[in-house]
Amino acid sequence: MTPPEAPATGPDGSGAAQPPAVSVRLDVLRNRSDFLKAAQARRQSAGSFLLQARRRGPNEVEGEAGGSLIRVGFTCSKKVGNAVARNRAKRRLREIARSVLPGTGRPGWDYVLIGRPGVTADRDFALLLSDLRTALAQVHRKP
C-alpha cells in the first residue's frame, strides 16, 4: 500500500492548499553526536521500527524556529537488506514522520527512527502510522 497523496486543491476548492494548522517545523538530524545522544535516551519498540527520543537541553541550539523545532533522524543498518531495501525503509520512515510528528511530536525533542529487517519496508503503511503514534504516546507517558 502506498502513502496517501496530498490533495491538489484546498478544502474550499481553490487551487491553493492551506498551510497546516500546526506551526511545528521538522528538522533532520545529520550529526553523529546527535544520534549518539538520542541512543542514550528513551527507547520504544514499535514492532516495525525502534523509536529513540530525547528532550534537548536548554543550552542546545534550537535554530531559527525557536522552541517549535522537532528534530528527527532515520537510520537502517545493513541487516535491513541491500541499499535498495534500506532506502525504501528510510523513505517509509521519513513519510510517517512527516505525517505524524507535526501533530503528535513535542517541540524541543529529538526523535530517531530505526528500521528493522523484514518489517519496516513491507508493513502496511496505515500500521506504520499507528505504530509511530503508539510509540510516541509511550515515550511521552509520565514515568
Side-chain angles (χ1 to χ4, degrees):
M1 181 176 183
T2 60
E5 294 186 37
T9 61
D12 59 353
S14 65
Q18 292 181 338
V22 180
S23 63
V24 174
R25 196 180 113 220
L26 292 181
D27 195 24
V28 178
L29 293 176
R30 290 185 174 85
N31 296 330
R32 183 173 188 267
S33 62
D34 292 329
F35 282 90
L36 292 176
K37 289 176 189 174
Q40 296 188 2
R42 300 178 188 182
R43 294 177 186 203
Q44 181 63 44
S45 176
S48 55
F49 58 88
L50 177 72
L51 174 68
Q52 297 174 340
R54 78 174 193 98
R55 184 180 189 102
R56 289 190 302 276
N59 59 347
E60 293 187 59
V61 65
E62 284 289 335
E64 62 217 33
S68 64
L69 184 65
I70 295 175
R71 298 191 314 173
V72 61
F74 311 94
T75 185
C76 290
S77 72
K78 287 190 177 182
K79 292 179 184 178
V80 172
N82 62 12
V84 174
R86 290 193 307 271
N87 287 334
R88 181 167 194 257
K90 283 191 279 188
R91 277 195 311 270
R92 290 170 61 88
L93 292 175
R94 278 193 295 269
E95 187 57 35
I96 64 169
R98 200 175 0 248
S99 299
V100 174
L101 283 178
T104 311
R106 292 194 181 168
W109 282 70
D110 291 345
Y111 301 99
V112 176
L113 283 77
I114 302 172
R116 287 206 167 147
V119 184
T120 305
D122 299 328
R123 190 161 171 95
D124 184 49
F125 190 77
L127 294 175
L128 279 174
L129 291 170
S130 174
D131 288 345
L132 182 55
R133 287 186 189 103
T134 303
L136 286 169
Q138 292 291 328
V139 163
H140 292 304
R141 188 178 52 179
K142 300 269 184 193

